[in-house]
Amino acid sequence: MVRERFRGMTDLAHDAEQLSDPWEAFETILRTYLEAADGDAGFQLALMGSKEPEGDGLEEQKAKFAEIIHRIIERAVAAGAVRSDLTVADFPLLTVGIMATMYFKPAGNPDWRRHLQLVLDGVRPTESGSGTVGR
């Protein structure tokens, strides 16, 4: 099941990569990735778990997905559309954090889309260029 979900996520990433605007490509893959996980608690838990999901053919799908995400982020960084220190390794940090909001629905403001908007605002470059925090 997780392999098939990653295949679908890879298709979403490929579609986002085709967008001409680097920011739009990044925002689109982040948003559509999360929208695809919305309502699927099993997939959310698999991604949020302390162990990497495993299975026949899953590594290949994850590698394809990561390659596309890497290209999307590198293009956005080069265009100055996102912080200069954003890397492909940050993508799981962003998505798992937002998925935690999606899954646990904290009191006060349980809408994961608000969390997403805060994250998107946070990956925009600052006036000084990078917006680096603690690196």
Side-chain angles (χ1 to χ4, degrees), residues 9-123:
M9 298 297 186
T10 302
D11 292 343
L12 292 174
H14 178 73
D15 291 347
E17 186 179 28
Q18 303 309 306
L19 298 170
S20 61
D21 180 82
W23 171 257
E24 186 180 356
F26 175 76
E27 180 182 16
T28 297
I29 187 49
L30 187 58
R31 184 178 309 281
T32 59
Y33 180 89
L34 292 162
E35 287 171 346
D38 190 18
D40 187 343
F43 188 61
Q44 293 166 20
L45 285 172
L47 294 175
M48 289 189 300
S50 60
K51 286 180 49 179
E52 286 285 321
E54 298 175 358
D56 187 35
L58 183 57
E59 288 304 314
E60 180 182 343
Q61 283 303 316
K62 287 169 46 180
K64 286 180 184 178
F65 179 77
E67 287 172 21
I68 298 170
I69 297 302
H70 180 77
R71 290 192 303 262
I72 289 171
I73 290 174
E74 287 295 309
R75 184 170 64 128
V77 167
V82 297
R83 305 162 53 116
S84 63
D85 63 336
L86 188 70
T87 71
V88 69
D90 294 323
F91 193 82
L93 296 174
L94 303 176
T95 58
V96 167
I98 297 167
M99 275 187 205
T101 300
M102 186 185 292
Y103 182 81
F104 292 107
K105 297 175 180 50
N109 189 359
D111 187 2
W112 65 266
R113 288 167 190 82
R114 170 76 176 143
H115 189 165
L116 171 61
Q117 190 56 55
L118 292 169
V119 166
L120 288 170
D121 291 346
V123 299

